[in-house]
Amino acid sequence: MSGFKFSVGPWNVHEGADAFGPDIRPAIAFADKLATFRKIGFDAVQFHDDDAVPEINGLREPEIIARARDVRKMLDDNGLAAEFVAPRLWMDKRTADGGYTSNCPEDRAYAMWRSFRSIDIANELGCDKIVLWLAREGTLCAESKDTVVSIRRLVDAVNKMLAYDPKIKILIEPKPNEPIDRSFCGTMGHVMAVSAMTDDPSRVGGLLESAHAILAGLDPANEMAFALAMGKLWGVHLNDQNGMKYDQDKTFGAENLRQAFNQIRVLKDHGYGSGGEYIGLDVKAMRTQPVEISYRHLENSLNVVRLLEEKVDRFDRDIQKKLIEARDYEALEMVVLQLLLKG
Ligand code: XUL
Ligand code: MN
């Protein structure tokens, strides 16, 4: 039994295409995904704007709202909530140079249009969180953008979203690179700094994805702790990653169990979830996985979280305290390794 509530995105069950090869599994209908999500233990769904309203660019605002309302009914029918809506600002030609920080004013206006529509959709789905994964907000050519101007543009875009809806919260999901080379918002420290620059820092927080922290050469649990210390960790994307290469979105704990243990430890120790926050997963099935068993990575990740919650409960805090007092960190490390190695 977990003390957490869990969420997942429809993109986490996918057709297996990667940068070097096409789809390899048939698509699973959105309605079927919802039913299976509920069955395997999820409480909520994460959305991109066009996960909820496909072909959004070709629709007018009332139609977008009507379609989002239909999705709300599907969620209700399955006993699921919506966690957040994220504008997908990386698939359209108009975001080739970024959205909020594009050099072209028309592109920036398009990015705002998608952001406002995401807020409209969130309102229909009954959630108050907008996630900004700033996919192309950075540079491919270092000299192509003025970074100072770009950071101000980013803050300006967030301010416009805050003004559009006085109840909406913005969660920035940092990532240091991919698909962009030099990201403007690569770590949780950047996110907290951007938050502080906005018109209402109390409504701008962070979502930490494990793999993104590892790609930045940082420890995911430490990154989570940084935002927790500021009361601003409002979402997580648990997954795993084998070193600093392409974004892998592996099953949580599959590469580094101790790092995974410490993420659950920091979340549990600091009451993550008590404000309604979800343990979100952002994991992808391997390309080799047959469609009939293409939810396995989600089930495995949920199981790893639950097993690590037990390990955190069994972590002997008295011994931890004594070894800290004795400054015997070698022994403390072994206590953790034994905890993880023994059944
Ligand atoms: C990309 C990534 C995204 C965001 C949502 O690396 O993690 O899926 O989580 O837009
Ligand atoms: Mn993510």
Side-chain angles (χ1 to χ4, degrees):
M1 186 60 196
S2 173
F4 292 124
K5 291 189 301 176
F6 294 96
S7 72
V8 63
W11 67 90
N12 287 152
V13 178
H14 59 107
E15 292 81 56
D18 65 17
F20 302 96
D23 290 353
I24 200 153
R25 294 182 284 264
I28 297 175
F30 177 64
D32 294 341
K33 288 185 186 179
L34 291 188
T36 309
F37 288 159
R38 183 72 210 156
K39 201 169 83 203
I40 64 181
F42 287 98
D43 305 283
V45 179
Q46 313 161 16
F47 287 93
H48 294 109
D49 50 359
D50 57 0
D51 291 323
V53 182
E55 314 295 337
I56 188 171
N57 282 335
L59 299 174
R60 302 177 70 81
E61 281 125 50
E63 184 59 27
I64 292 169
I65 287 172
R67 296 206 186 174
R69 206 167 288 154
D70 295 341
V71 175
R72 171 73 177 268
K73 185 165 182 328
M74 292 173 83
L75 288 173
D76 290 347
D77 290 348
N78 283 281
L80 289 161
E83 183 192 12
F84 67 69
V85 180
R88 198 194 298 270
L89 291 183
W90 51 95
M91 294 298 265
D92 194 272
K93 283 190 182 139
R94 283 165 286 188
T95 55
D97 192 33
Y100 312 122
T101 67
S102 168
N103 282 318
C104 165
E106 287 81 30
D107 295 352
R108 297 201 296 274
Y110 167 72
M112 286 319 303
W113 185 82
R114 288 288 290 252
S115 306
F116 296 144
R117 300 298 70 77
S118 295
I119 296 173
D120 294 344
I121 294 168
N123 281 324
E124 289 309 317
L125 297 184
C127 64
D128 64 355
K129 289 179 177 147
I130 296 296
V131 166
L132 304 181
W133 168 49
L134 302 168
R136 300 190 193 277
E137 312 304 348
T139 55
L140 294 171
C141 166
E143 298 78 13
S144 67
K145 288 182 188 171
D146 180 327
T147 303
V148 174
V149 170
S150 299
I151 301 299
R152 289 182 184 148
R153 281 186 173 148
L154 177 59
V155 171
D156 190 50
V158 173
N159 283 341
K160 285 184 180 138
M161 290 176 234
L162 294 172
Y164 182 77
D165 182 334
K167 290 183 303 305
I168 210 75
K169 290 192 183 122
I170 310 295
L171 284 63
I172 300 177
E173 178 180 350
K175 185 176 182 184
N177 58 274
E178 202 202 25
I180 210 74
D181 179 11
R182 292 175 173 84
S183 160
F184 292 138
C185 219
T187 71
M188 194 50 92
H190 290 84
V191 171
M192 294 297 111
V194 166
S195 165
M197 286 171 77
T198 64
D199 290 340
D200 188 355
S202 74
R203 288 197 284 137
V204 184
L207 180 152
L208 196 281
E209 173 166 324
S210 326
H212 295 179
I214 298 164
L215 283 171
L218 296 170
D219 178 70
N222 247 17
E223 286 283 276
M224 288 173 186
F226 191 78
L228 282 167
M230 286 160 219
K232 289 191 181 179
L233 186 71
W234 300 336
V236 292
H237 270 172
L238 298 188
N239 57 16
D240 213 345
Q241 169 78 24
N242 177 23
M244 295 167 81
K245 33 185 103 162
Y246 64 97
D247 189 1
Q248 299 180 320
D249 295 340
K250 288 189 169 196
T251 289
F252 183 57
E255 287 297 327
N256 191 333
L257 261 189
R258 183 174 176 193
Q259 212 169 51
F261 166 75
N262 281 319
Q263 291 172 66
I264 301 303
R265 183 176 59 84
V266 78
L267 293 172
K268 265 181 87 92
D269 284 0
H270 294 283
Y272 180 83
S274 58
E277 302 86 4
Y278 291 92
I279 292 284
L281 300 182
D282 195 359
V283 290
K284 306 262 163 54
M286 291 177 211
R287 179 171 161 79
T288 44
Q289 199 72 357
V291 68
E292 305 77 39
I293 41 179
S294 60
Y295 289 84
R296 190 82 89 201
H297 60 307
L298 297 175
E299 295 177 274
N300 290 350
S301 295
L302 290 177
N303 278 335
V304 172
V305 174
R306 292 189 194 108
L307 290 167
L308 287 174
E309 284 182 76
E310 280 170 40
K311 295 281 184 191
V312 171
D313 290 342
R314 280 169 42 203
F315 182 36
D316 191 328
R317 306 299 173 135
D318 291 335
I319 291 186
Q320 181 194 21
K321 194 164 169 281
K322 282 195 190 101
L323 292 174
I324 290 171
E325 274 161 18
R327 235 201 228 190
D328 191 351
Y329 299 164
E330 292 290 354
L332 178 57
E333 188 160 76
M334 197 58 198
V335 168
V336 176
L337 295 182
Q338 276 177 336
L339 177 70
L340 293 175
L341 287 166
K342 286 184 181 164

